[in-house]
Amino acid sequence: QVQLIESGGGLVQAGGSLRLSCAASGRTFSNYNMGWFRQAPGKEREFVARIRWSGTRLYADSVKGRFTISRDNAKNTVYLQMNSLKPEDTAVYYCAATYFATSQPNDVNYWGQGTQVTVSS
């Protein structure tokens, strides 16, 4: 199995920045595509960003130009740099690992427990 632990969430003013980290253990990290999803109360879990083992990146339209996903396979860690944060970015952010690249929550093989991000007006 793969265990994913997120960190770096918190409270920030609109326009500010946060950097989320996801540390992985268990199976070989480089075998998986990694991604970030988020979920606000009463809403469906939605795709934010993914990075393939090849390094190819994909972002949701709502975060393009503001968020950057990266990975360090040697450290078994994936990051999400979030800049120019908006109140609508407020959600629990979940790290995800998939054998095949996906942007669909139902296709995710492993989930982290989530970290809260709150953006004030």
Side-chain angles (χ1 to χ4, degrees):
Q1 64 177 2
V2 173
Q3 183 178 3
L4 305 173
I5 302 177
E6 303 97 334
S7 62
L11 175 64
V12 65
Q13 290 273 329
S17 298
L18 285 173
R19 183 181 177 91
L20 305 183
S21 298
C22 174
S25 63
R27 291 178 175 266
T28 302
F29 181 75
S30 60
N31 287 344
Y32 292 89
N33 305 280
M34 301 296 298
W36 291 92
F37 293 74
R38 66 187 182 186
Q39 187 168 22
K43 297 184 178 180
E44 297 180 356
R45 190 167 298 188
E46 66 175 355
F47 168 76
V48 175
R50 78 172 192 221
I51 183 167
R52 296 176 63 95
W53 61 266
S54 64
T56 301
R57 296 170 172 85
L58 180 68
Y59 299 94
D61 289 342
S62 59
V63 306
K64 285 182 180 177
R66 300 189 297 120
F67 291 11
T68 302
I69 188 171
S70 61
R71 68 190 295 167
D72 186 338
N73 289 341
K75 297 174 64 176
N76 288 351
T77 302
V78 63
Y79 305 95
L80 185 68
Q81 178 67 45
M82 304 184 293
N83 299 325
S84 301
L85 283 162
K86 305 174 181 179
E88 53 262 43
D89 295 318
T90 295
V92 177
Y93 283 70
Y94 296 92
C95 183
T98 62
Y99 188 76
F100 296 105
T102 183
S103 300
Q104 301 297 323
N106 290 341
D107 294 334
V108 171
N109 297 107
Y110 301 98
W111 291 105
Q113 293 301 304
T115 184
Q116 177 70 47
V117 172
T118 303
V119 184
S120 62
S121 300

